[in-house]
Amino acid sequence: MSSKNISYLGILTALALIISYFERIVPTFVPVPGIKLGLANIIVIITLYLINSKQAFFLSIARTLLVAILFGGLSSFIYSLSGGLLSFSFMILFKRFKGFSIIGVSVIGGVTHNIAQIIVATYVVSNLKLLYYLPILIFSGIISGTLIGIISFYTLKNLCPLNTTYTQKSSKL
């Protein structure tokens, strides 16, 4: 990894931390507990498309760890890590399919993140009734994934207007 990429990764990680902190202090307007947009995932998706999957994975893990240390705790780390690992794996997989745009990849990430977290929560509290919450979480993953995907798409489009590699792959929503 070049020093230029290390610098970019450091800046992107710092930006993801700032967004994570902002999302923690701003109240959500959704009356359902535990639902948030996951705005820091914009940075992960941008890194995934702009740089590469290895560095996006590193950024995702580093952000999860730093957010848990700075703002959360062990339980938030476990939930975030499980959601992050599963969603990142699926985003990498679906990014390779030509039929999936950046928004589709983001939606897959949002939905699988919520699925992983509810599975972990069901295991931690030993209560299968938590699975009844899954349809609500899947719906929120679709909504937030769509929003994150749209923001990521337009951010990349404005960051890389002359990058034909990116624009040819992702010129459509």
Side-chain angles (χ1 to χ4, degrees):
M1 185 175 348
S2 70
S3 60
K4 183 178 177 181
N5 283 347
I6 292 171
S7 298
Y8 283 146
L9 203 53
I11 291 167
L12 291 169
T13 303
L15 186 56
L17 279 172
I18 292 166
I19 293 171
S20 293
Y21 178 70
F22 174 76
E23 194 168 22
R24 284 186 173 272
I25 62 172
V26 173
T28 59
F29 300 103
V30 181
V32 182
I35 293 180
K36 63 179 189 165
L37 288 174
L39 295 173
N41 291 319
I42 294 167
I43 307 303
V44 174
I45 290 174
I46 288 171
T47 305
L48 179 63
Y49 278 85
L50 190 58
I51 303 176
N52 63 39
S53 58
K54 183 179 177 182
Q55 290 182 19
F57 179 75
F58 177 78
L59 182 140
S60 182
I61 297 300
R63 178 187 60 90
T64 301
L65 180 61
L66 290 170
V67 166
I69 290 169
L70 296 172
F71 315 124
L74 182 60
S75 64
S76 69
F77 176 69
I78 292 169
Y79 289 115
S80 294
L81 184 64
S82 64
L85 290 174
L86 186 67
S87 67
F88 194 81
S89 300
F90 273 84
M91 287 192 300
I92 292 292
L93 178 67
F94 281 86
K95 182 180 179 272
R96 293 181 181 164
F97 293 130
K98 294 197 186 283
F100 279 88
S101 68
I102 192 169
I103 296 172
V105 169
S106 179
V107 168
I108 292 292
V111 169
T112 54
H113 189 278
N114 289 346
I115 289 171
Q117 287 190 328
I118 200 69
I119 289 170
V120 169
T122 302
Y123 177 76
V124 167
V125 298
S126 300
N127 187 348
L128 289 175
K129 290 183 181 181
L130 286 177
L131 293 175
Y132 289 122
Y133 195 45
L134 193 55
I136 295 168
L137 289 177
I138 288 173
F139 181 72
S140 76
I142 291 169
I143 298 299
S144 64
T146 301
L147 180 63
I148 300 300
I150 290 169
I151 293 169
S152 299
F153 173 81
Y154 283 109
T155 302
L156 279 171
K157 190 173 181 178
N158 287 311
L159 282 175
C160 311
L162 300 177
N163 185 343
T164 56
T165 304
Y166 172 73
T167 53
Q168 286 174 356
K169 286 193 251 178
S170 306
S171 61
K172 65 181 186 336
L173 283 177

